Amino acid sequence: MNKLIEAITAFLVRPFRPDPTIVLHEVNSARSSMGLPELATLPAGSKGNAKDCPLAVALGGFVGVDGICFESPSMADRVARVRWTGVRHMSASRHVVTS
């Protein structure tokens, strides 16, 4: 029984890794809405560097806990329409597409 509990615990606490194919499709849909060309692959990122996040690089925004932040309200609105989410206007130059 202990081994089963350990296995279940290990499964539940492992890092979540989304399917890269689905992520690339979503990124390309968002890029298309912004008039940007599609990507063949997601950009490489580096662990611990939010500015180097593959989504931030691919979408030209900044990815945080609450979503993707854009300086341009029109870019944020376009991405939000693709993702069927909303935009939270934080300030004149910060517009977060909520996840």
Side-chain angles (χ1 to χ4, degrees), residues 7 15 24-25 29 32 37 41 47-48 50 53 56-58 65-66 70 72 76 85 93 96:
L24 181 61
H25 174 74
S29 294
S32 176
T41 61
K47 192 172 186 175
C53 170
V57 173
V65 175
D66 295 335
F70 293 92
S72 165
T85 59
S93 63
V96 177

Side-chain angles (χ1 to χ4, degrees), residues 11-33:
F11 176 78
L12 293 174
V13 298
R14 75 174 186 213
F16 172 71
R17 302 238 184 243
D19 181 339
T21 306
I22 294 171
V23 175
L24 181 61
H25 174 74
E26 291 289 324
V27 164
N28 280 331
S29 294
R31 286 178 61 87
S32 176
S33 77

Side-chain angles (χ1 to χ4, degrees), residues 58-93:
L59 297 175
F62 178 81
V63 176
V65 175
D66 295 335
I68 304 169
C69 183
F70 293 92
E71 290 183 7
S72 165
S74 66
M75 291 296 186
D77 288 336
R78 290 176 190 170
V79 172
R81 273 188 249 127
V82 168
R83 297 206 51 205
W84 295 87
T85 59
V87 176
R88 190 174 34 195
H89 301 283
M90 305 299 287
S91 68
S93 63

